[in-house]
Amino acid sequence: MPKIIVDADACPVKEEIKSLAQTFHLEVIYVASYNHFGANRADEHWVYVDTEKEAADLRIVNLSKKGDIVITQDIGLASMLLSKCTVFSNRGEIYQDEMMTLMLEQRESRAKARRRGEYGKGPKAMTDQDRQTFKQNLEQFLMNLKFLGVDDK
């Protein structure tokens, strides 16, 4: 049975993930740095890591197994996981292997521009429609898994 692993530091759709995981009886593991520690999470599985730059990414890679579902907005992390996991963005898009080279090149280009002092607008703020799209896409994916018998016990 797949589990859902969430790159939780900046994930805006944790409630949507929790709701769908309960509906489909899936385990969710939220991975975050100690800077995002929260005491009121007794009914959730949180894994906390150091604040080092790639600590959460490395923990997610190590926790994930073939067939798991990972939620992240980190393109680099997504590229490392595509060979074994289905990876969703926070906006509900499934990262595709054939698009990864282009996405990584664009990310590098933006990083170079920032180092030159050029700053873009950054990602658009999440809207209710974005949240709804995320939830619909993940739900459809999970329904397809259930239809295929992937989550049968």
Side-chain angles (χ1 to χ4, degrees), residues 33 49 55 65 88 110-111 116 124:
S33 72
V49 298
K65 304 283 186 248
F88 278 84
R110 287 189 299 270
R116 288 191 305 267
K124 295 178 187 175

Side-chain angles (χ1 to χ4, degrees), residues 69-137:
I69 301 161
V70 176
I71 314 296
T72 185
Q73 61 186 351
D74 184 325
I75 296 167
L77 175 59
S79 70
M80 289 189 286
L81 293 168
L82 282 179
S83 64
K84 65 179 177 177
C85 299
T86 299
V87 186
F88 278 84
S89 75
N90 294 340
R91 295 180 189 268
E93 297 104 2
I94 296 178
Y95 290 102
Q96 302 293 327
D97 198 35
E98 52 273 359
M99 293 299 297
M100 199 50 60
T101 299
L102 175 62
M103 294 174 79
L104 289 168
E105 288 172 356
Q106 289 172 338
R107 182 184 76 159
E108 179 63 20
S109 177
R110 287 189 299 270
K112 286 179 180 178
R114 283 191 303 276
R115 285 192 295 271
R116 288 191 305 267
E118 301 170 20
Y119 295 94
K121 295 179 183 178
K124 295 178 187 175
M126 285 287 288
T127 65
D128 289 339
Q129 180 61 48
D130 292 329
R131 291 174 193 285
Q132 184 177 356
T133 298
F134 171 84
K135 189 169 184 180
Q136 287 172 342
N137 290 352

Side-chain angles (χ1 to χ4, degrees), residues 53-72:
K53 185 175 182 204
E54 304 300 331
D57 293 355
L58 292 174
R59 181 61 61 93
I60 290 168
V61 168
N62 289 327
L63 285 172
S64 63
K65 304 283 186 248
K66 187 163 184 67
D68 285 342
I69 301 161
V70 176
I71 314 296
T72 185

Side-chain angles (χ1 to χ4, degrees), residues 4-24:
I4 299 173
I5 303 172
V6 181
D7 187 358
D9 280 345
C11 181
V13 288
K14 289 189 267 302
E15 289 302 316
E16 291 81 357
I17 295 165
K18 182 178 178 179
S19 170
L20 287 171
Q22 289 172 344
T23 299
F24 287 90

